[in-house]
Amino acid sequence: MRGGTGGRRTVNALAHTLRWPRAASDDTRLALWTADEIAAATGGTASGAFQVSGVEMDSRDVQAGDLFVALKGEAMDGHRFLDAAFRNGAAAAIVDRPVDYPHVLVADTGKALHALAAAARARVTARIVGVTGSVGKTGVKEAIFTALERTSRGATHRSVRSYNNHVGVPLSLSRMPPRSRYGVFEMGMNHANEIRGLTTQVKPHVAVITTIAPAHIENLGSMEAIADAKAEIFDGLQKGGTAVIPADSEHFEQLRDAALAHGARVLSFGRKPHADMRLLDAIPQANGGALVTASMGTIGLCYTVSEPGEHWIDNSLCVMAAVHAAGGDLGAAGLALAEMGGLKGRGARFRVAAPGGHALLIDESYNANPASMRATLQQLGQTPASRRIAVLGSMKELGDFAPAFHAQLLEPVTAAKVDYAVLVGEEMTALAREMGKAHTESLGNAPQFAHCANAGEAIAALQEYGLTGGDAVLVKGSNSVGLARVVDHFTARTS
């Protein structure tokens, strides 16, 4: 750049950053909670003055400065772990009996956690995004967080892991700093009316439904009932809020009407012509991701999605719509999608040492339902490999629908050109039966397979088959099947 004297000017990036305009929240105290604030929020009595920097309910996860909430359940009492919590650095605890540590004494620690969550939500001016859906909610939540975090100067908060239930949501809310500019919270359910109880705590300005699929159909009975249960997220939507919903879903009208009934602005995403955030083109990239072109009204978007699979193209549209609705920066969102890596149990990829080089292991061990099984098997089929191996665990909470849904996996397994399948769990009997028939009828051209009772047997089956360089291995199943053990076993030799 030419200066007035013809010399060169240099821009000091650090100095420019330090001159970033101040926000009102910059003057907010850094401590998460003081003793007086906790006592006022919970109606309890503080043992003395203290400050805490975090909130935790598991003594094993406590870090220095945390507030330990001694929750009581049917089989466990957190008060038994007070010594461990304070050994790990807890600054104070919420308890229902006097103790010799700094504390706030309350009548009921569970109710106190909910009260603290309500106080945390009430004191922030942040834009809040709530995320639910049958498939992809954790990945979408993480992507929205990463997108908003890029431009919020570290002032974006989210629920960690899959803290999306009646304990995880209030815990995540209670951890939200008063300086937050954005908050992103995941909400899950197994039964009707569960999301209603969560969304009324979160009070989102943007309510996101990723997709509707037959997860938890055992408890809900029909796809329509699942859509109704997910639409409960609109019950907590703030006045003038936005509902982000999938335009491609056969339940689009059901979700749209539910959102409109709550006075929401509806912003849809997908591939259909009526989608507000609409996919125009997606070009596969060498790393398995895609270069995406999309439009939203007069806004044109072109960005890279690093995560592989067609489902992540759809997820990216959902993320873009949510970020726009929250008032975030779409350019920053595009950069975030280009840089994201897979989450443990939800798409993380590992290079595993094997004879002749390395095998690729795709970790999808945390969750599974018919829709996500098909999506990840399709992804496996598109992954360059000398051999494709699928370790598939039972899909839980399908009830009477389970045999049919498991048997129907034969088609995506075959389409993915799987060379060897390891089926794990009793529910996989239906797929094993179909594979046996296909193997006989096709005179040996169907995938080889083994049916195992548990993760230990699956490890043995894989070891007997033998991984070689160039293999691609998908590990996918409901969390309770325990296939993370398979991932841990083989990634112990990653490089």
Side-chain angles (χ1 to χ4, degrees):
M1 178 183 291
R2 290 178 181 259
T5 59
R8 286 187 174 275
R9 283 190 223 161
T10 59
V11 178
N12 187 315
L14 176 59
H16 180 74
T17 300
L18 293 175
R19 290 197 302 270
W20 196 313
R22 290 180 60 79
S25 61
D26 290 341
D27 296 322
T28 304
R29 173 181 47 76
L30 288 173
L32 183 62
W33 296 103
T34 66
D36 288 344
E37 288 169 341
I38 298 168
T42 62
T45 303
S47 63
F50 57 79
Q51 294 186 354
V52 299
S53 55
V55 183
E56 188 53 72
M57 63 179 180
D58 189 327
S59 62
R60 296 167 296 184
D61 294 332
V62 167
Q63 298 183 20
D66 279 352
L67 172 71
F68 176 64
V69 184
L71 296 176
K72 292 174 63 175
E74 293 182 3
M76 193 65 66
D77 185 349
H79 294 82
R80 293 171 49 194
F81 303 98
L82 282 165
D83 290 342
F86 279 90
R87 278 197 304 270
N88 286 340
I94 293 180
V95 294
D96 65 8
R97 66 203 69 167
V99 296
D100 292 332
Y101 297 109
H103 65 270
V104 172
L105 181 63
V106 299
D108 185 307
T109 55
K111 290 180 179 178
L113 176 61
H114 280 79
L116 194 64
R121 178 64 184 88
R123 71 180 179 176
V124 298
T125 59
R127 295 285 293 176
I128 304 296
V129 181
V131 182
T132 192
S134 301
V135 182
K137 54 184 175 291
T138 299
V140 166
K141 178 257 297 181
E142 289 293 322
I144 294 171
F145 164 78
T146 304
L148 295 173
E149 174 75 351
R150 289 187 73 97
T151 56
S152 70
R153 303 165 64 189
T156 299
H157 175 72
R158 77 190 186 286
S159 50
V160 298
R161 303 176 188 170
S162 290
Y163 279 12
N164 61 17
N165 62 10
H166 68 287
V167 175
V169 168
L171 179 66
S172 298
L173 280 166
S174 70
R175 293 169 167 175
M176 182 164 50
R179 301 162 63 94
S180 299
R181 290 178 57 194
Y182 299 101
V184 189
F185 297 90
E186 179 181 338
M187 288 171 262
M189 61 86 189
N190 295 317
H191 296 82
N193 297 317
E194 289 183 342
I195 288 180
R196 181 173 291 115
L198 302 176
T199 189
T200 51
Q201 297 177 63
V202 173
K203 298 180 173 64
H205 299 98
V206 181
V208 178
I209 296 179
T210 59
T211 190
I212 303 299
H216 313 302
I217 197 168
E218 174 184 19
N219 300 324
L220 293 159
S222 70
M223 293 292 290
E224 289 74 18
I226 292 172
D228 280 339
K230 297 300 183 184
E232 291 172 12
I233 193 172
F234 305 138
D235 284 21
L237 195 61
Q238 297 299 281
K239 184 177 181 180
T242 302
V244 176
I245 62 175
D248 300 340
S249 172
E250 63 183 81
H251 302 284
F252 167 73
E253 289 82 5
Q254 183 181 352
L255 298 176
R256 179 200 62 199
D257 292 348
L260 292 174
H262 286 84
R265 171 199 176 207
V266 174
L267 186 59
S268 63
F269 65 90
R271 302 167 187 244
K272 294 285 183 68
H274 68 264
D276 298 305
M277 180 67 73
R278 183 164 68 93
L279 178 69
L280 300 180
D281 192 21
I283 303 173
Q285 302 293 285
N287 66 349
L291 177 66
V292 174
T293 304
S295 68
M296 189 179 67
T298 60
I299 300 174
L301 300 169
C302 186
Y303 56 90
T304 298
V305 179
S306 64
E307 296 278 15
E310 287 288 317
H311 59 296
W312 260 104
I313 295 172
D314 297 325
N315 284 349
S316 77
L317 300 172
C318 178
V319 171
M320 286 294 188
V323 168
H324 177 76
D329 187 316
L330 292 177
L335 292 173
L337 288 166
E339 295 174 358
M340 277 194 70
L343 304 173
K344 180 176 175 58
R346 302 176 185 275
R349 293 186 160 210
F350 301 93
R351 277 164 47 92
V352 177
H358 293 85
L360 169 67
L361 190 149
I362 305 168
D363 178 12
E364 290 275 0
S365 61
Y366 188 82
N367 201 5
N369 59 53
S372 64
M373 275 286 197
R374 286 180 173 272
T376 49
L377 282 166
Q378 182 185 41
Q379 173 191 332
L380 177 64
Q382 295 171 347
T383 301
S386 57
R387 300 185 304 178
R388 296 185 179 90
I389 300 166
V391 182
L392 306 178
S394 296
M395 302 179 289
K396 299 295 186 177
E397 298 186 23
L398 296 176
D400 293 340
F401 300 89
F405 279 128
H406 284 83
Q408 289 165 10
L409 291 178
L410 177 62
E411 184 273 325
V413 167
T414 304
K417 297 181 180 179
V418 170
D419 295 283
Y420 183 56
V422 179
L423 312 180
V424 187
E426 182 180 352
E427 291 89 343
M428 278 292 171
T429 301
L431 178 56
R433 187 179 301 116
E434 293 302 310
M435 281 192 170
K437 292 179 187 176
H439 198 279
T440 301
E441 294 169 1
S442 61
L443 302 178
N445 293 326
Q448 299 179 52
F449 72 95
H451 187 196
C452 304
N454 53 51
E457 291 185 11
I459 291 170
L462 271 181
Q463 288 176 324
E464 182 177 351
Y465 184 69
L467 297 186
T468 61
D471 287 349
V473 184
L474 169 66
V475 181
K476 175 78 172 172
S478 290
N479 189 44
S480 61
V481 182
L483 295 188
R485 180 182 167 193
V486 177
V487 175
D488 292 342
H489 177 85
F490 287 96
T491 57
R493 57 188 190 192
T494 56
S495 66

